Amino acid sequence: MRVYDRERQDWVDGRRERLHQPDRDLDLPRQQRVVRRGGMVLAAVGMCFGVWAFGWKDEPEPPPPPPPSPTAQEQEGTEPSASATETADGTATASGVLPDGYGEVQDDEGFRIAVPVNWTAERRPSKYGIKIVDYGSPDGLRRLQIFQLEEPSPYDSLVIAQEEAARRDGYERIDMGPIPSAPDDAAEHEYRTTEIAGEADSGTVRHVIDHRFRAADGNRYALVAYGPDNQDSAERELIDTAAAWFCPPATTCPAPDGSGGG
């Protein structure tokens, strides 16, 4: 008897249909296993995608950067000092605080200055501006000279003075030039010599710092320190203190220590 095989879309006799039926029965479980495995793979892929999408959506923001490390002063519980200023030689000294043994002086020539308390002043005429004033130590070994400059700039005046000093006996230049950090066009000439104008020739080596600058009144002045060449920095302290406290005649200047004007 012929029957219609739907899979082959054909009429077959009953014997051939019976022979073909076992093959289909054997193949059916295999097809079912393939379908189940395919479904499991698709399910696993879908689960992985869902986990990735959820994690990407809820990913936390990156943590903020750590605060800067404290400085050494903050770690020690101290605050930076604002009372120090840089002097001409690059060292830091307390601004507005007179060194031990110094005092403020209002000179008869009208300027304010600070010098050691036991020094005395001598004055002599000058060809230009105020009189030349010399403050000297009781032993006569050290002195500070103050006078007004005629030249248009402190450095121009210093060049002329250096040429004069270089012609004297025992001259040895240590340093000379403008002071870049100074706001007053200051310049300095530091040297050693055995001969100084106006002093007896003792033959001993003298240390000199010649500091020239523009003051608050617009005029130019010189502060010159003389002392023994013993490398004790006494002349440097003398110049730095006098320059910090100097106020020209007929001028009101704030005191470095904040105590008022002079």
Side-chain angles (χ1 to χ4, degrees):
M1 181 181 65
R2 294 172 59 85
V3 295
Y4 185 76
D5 190 336
R6 295 181 179 275
E7 181 178 349
R8 292 195 296 272
Q9 299 292 308
D10 194 13
W11 291 92
V12 297
D13 57 29
R15 182 173 177 274
R16 292 181 60 186
E17 179 64 20
R18 286 194 301 272
L19 291 174
H20 182 67
Q21 182 66 35
D23 293 339
R24 287 193 299 176
D25 294 342
L26 292 174
D27 188 60
L28 181 59
R30 183 170 62 252
Q31 293 176 355
Q32 292 175 344
R33 286 195 299 270
V34 170
V35 171
R36 285 197 299 269
R37 289 176 181 174
M40 293 173 64
V41 170
L42 291 176
V45 171
M47 182 178 295
C48 292
F49 178 82
V51 171
W52 172 82
F54 180 81
W56 171 80
K57 181 178 180 182
D58 296 336
E59 184 178 358
E61 294 292 333
S69 301
T71 62
Q73 288 179 322
E74 291 172 343
Q75 290 175 345
E76 296 174 1
T78 59
E79 295 181 356
S81 173
S83 62
T85 56
E86 187 172 301
T87 61
D89 62 350
T91 60
T93 58
S95 173
V97 179
L98 284 172
D100 290 341
Y102 278 73
E104 178 184 343
V105 175
Q106 192 66 40
D107 191 85
D108 291 346
E109 288 301 304
F111 60 80
R112 183 194 67 195
I113 202 165
V115 295
V117 294
N118 59 345
W119 285 24
T120 56
E122 294 183 358
R123 296 170 182 84
R124 50 197 167 95
S126 172
K127 295 180 180 180
Y128 181 80
I130 64 173
K131 290 182 179 179
I132 300 172
V133 181
D134 285 280
Y135 282 88
S137 63
D139 58 12
L141 296 178
R142 298 175 61 213
R143 67 184 170 100
L144 176 68
Q145 188 175 87
I146 304 99
F147 56 92
Q148 191 170 339
L149 306 178
E150 185 176 5
E151 292 78 16
S153 77
Y155 184 70
D156 290 342
S157 177
L158 198 66
V159 169
I160 297 172
Q162 187 274 336
E163 292 173 351
E164 177 66 23
R167 289 194 288 265
R168 300 188 180 277
D169 293 340
Y171 172 81
E172 179 188 354
R173 174 172 161 172
I174 300 174
D175 196 12
M176 177 176 168
I179 304 175
S181 60
D184 52 8
D185 299 332
E188 275 191 358
H189 174 211
E190 183 176 5
Y191 61 99
R192 298 183 183 92
T193 185
T194 57
E195 182 184 5
I196 295 176
E199 289 189 4
D201 188 0
S202 62
T204 60
V205 179
R206 302 278 280 162
H207 178 220
V208 183
I209 300 179
D210 188 342
H211 180 90
R212 306 195 177 204
F213 60 101
R214 189 183 307 275
D217 61 352
N219 293 319
R220 285 79 58 204
Y221 296 86
L223 300 171
V224 188
Y226 303 87
D229 185 34
N230 53 16
Q231 299 182 349
D232 62 356
S233 301
E235 283 70 58
R236 170 53 60 195
E237 180 182 67
L238 188 60
I239 287 292
D240 289 347
T241 304
W245 285 80
F246 183 83
C247 183
T251 307
T252 300
C253 308
D257 63 359
S259 61

